[in-house]
Amino acid sequence: MTSGTPRTVTLDRVPSLLPLMLRGAALSPLKRPRPGAHAPTTRLTVPALPVDQAHLTAYERLCGFPTGPAGLPVTYPHVLGFPLSMRLMTDRAFPLPVLGLVHTTLEITQHHDLSPTDRYDLTVTIPELRPHRRGTEALVVTELTAHGETVWTSTSTYLARHTTTAPPASAPATEDAPPLPTLTEWPLHADLGRRYAAVSGDRNPIHLHPLTARVLGFPRAIAHGMWTAARCLAEHGARGPVQVRAAFKAPVLLPGTVAYAAKDDTFELRSAKNDRLHLTGEVTPLAV
């Protein structure tokens, strides 16, 4: 649900993530997800944001994108906007606990390759909370503008699980499609979550160590969903005017080995050991 017209708050810099995550952890036990909750009305923006070239290179190397003067990786603006997303989701006005939120879907629209030397106006808002059969979903929208033109937009959904007052809904009907042809396998080391956390700033304890992951219900640390999406899109070679859709199906336990499979514009990530489906996606070129 929405709760009125957003008010815009302009920041002079991107906030530091660690204090935000500590605040989110402290406030999470005080928040009780419930049906009918309202989205906050704040719209955060940072104008004329430059790209840190050293940070960009570290991200490209970890996620498998080519380095150099080419356009920004299609997922990189998500990392730029994540601190603003966290500031909104760790605010007292946000009704869902940030601990336990599950990133479920990602949609990106990129209108053309993004120059790493441009400055971008970065904006993040949470336009809607909506009911889900397992709880409440928050929609987080990130937008990059350059030279007065919107050049990149993403919408992520995050699910807070809780009981609902509505009658239990059946799961959406799905057809069991055959697996896509496997093109390559990637061994993932136990420290992948810590390495991606160092680049992205996302230090959620479920990604960092088996002990902290077990406290939150996982047998081992799990890979960041955004790393899995980025690694798949790097392998796919997504660039230029493009729309990306991805759905996160199951966590990737670390260490482990995953299989990347693709056909035409669709791709998926599965466990190389038991064929468990972790991620599905598609890349659609946009007409210019």
Side-chain angles (χ1 to χ4, degrees):
M1 297 179 65
T2 58
S3 56
T5 304
R7 66 182 183 92
T8 298
V9 175
T10 301
L11 307 176
D12 59 2
R13 63 183 182 277
V14 173
S16 175
L17 263 172
L18 183 57
L20 294 176
M21 301 195 80
L22 293 175
R23 182 173 72 178
L27 290 177
S28 286
L30 306 178
K31 297 184 178 184
R32 297 290 183 267
R34 66 188 187 282
H38 291 278
T41 59
T42 303
R43 180 185 180 93
L44 295 179
T45 184
V46 177
L49 180 70
V51 174
D52 183 309
Q53 298 300 314
H55 181 263
L56 171 61
T57 299
Y59 178 86
E60 290 169 333
R61 287 175 175 165
L62 184 59
C63 297
F65 291 99
T67 59
L72 297 180
V74 67
T75 50
Y76 186 70
H78 177 92
V79 176
L80 297 180
F82 186 66
L84 299 188
S85 302
M86 285 298 297
R87 175 157 168 172
L88 290 176
M89 290 192 288
T90 59
D91 191 89
R92 291 183 181 274
F94 185 69
L96 308 178
V98 69
L99 286 183
L101 282 182
V102 178
H103 196 178
T104 52
T105 66
L106 170 72
E107 181 174 324
I108 294 172
T109 301
Q110 179 173 274
H111 297 285
H112 55 73
D113 282 327
L114 306 183
S115 170
T117 59
D118 269 350
R119 288 177 175 260
Y120 297 95
D121 294 342
L122 172 66
T123 302
V124 177
T125 188
I126 303 177
E128 183 183 2
L129 301 181
R130 63 189 183 190
H132 184 276
R133 62 189 179 85
R134 293 181 177 174
T136 299
E137 275 187 334
L139 276 68
V140 180
V141 176
T142 304
E143 182 180 274
L144 281 191
T145 303
H147 311 295
E149 172 192 6
T150 299
V151 294
W152 187 97
T153 306
S154 77
T155 300
S156 285
T157 57
Y158 295 88
L159 173 64
R161 292 189 177 97
H162 60 82
T163 56
T164 64
T165 57
S170 58
T174 58
E175 296 183 4
D176 292 329
L180 299 177
T182 296
L183 302 183
T184 187
E185 292 186 356
W186 301 320
L188 308 181
H189 298 293
D191 67 346
L192 175 61
R194 294 189 290 276
R195 289 189 289 131
Y196 186 78
V199 170
S200 68
D202 182 358
R203 290 180 171 81
N204 188 321
I206 62 176
H207 304 302
L208 303 181
H209 194 276
L211 293 178
T212 54
R214 285 191 203 108
V215 171
L216 295 171
F218 296 92
R220 303 197 300 274
I222 65 173
H224 293 73
M226 281 305 303
W227 180 88
T228 64
R231 185 66 188 89
C232 288
L233 291 167
E235 191 72 18
H236 188 281
R239 59 174 300 169
V242 70
Q243 185 174 65
V244 172
R245 291 187 176 91
F248 303 102
K249 300 295 187 180
V252 175
L253 297 176
L254 300 173
T257 301
V258 291
Y260 169 79
K263 182 179 181 181
D264 300 325
D265 291 338
T266 59
F267 62 88
E268 62 190 22
L269 196 68
R270 293 180 176 270
S271 167
K273 181 178 180 180
N274 58 21
D275 210 35
R276 187 183 190 190
L277 182 63
H278 297 295
L279 171 74
T280 62
E282 62 179 337
V283 179
T284 305
L286 298 178
V288 293

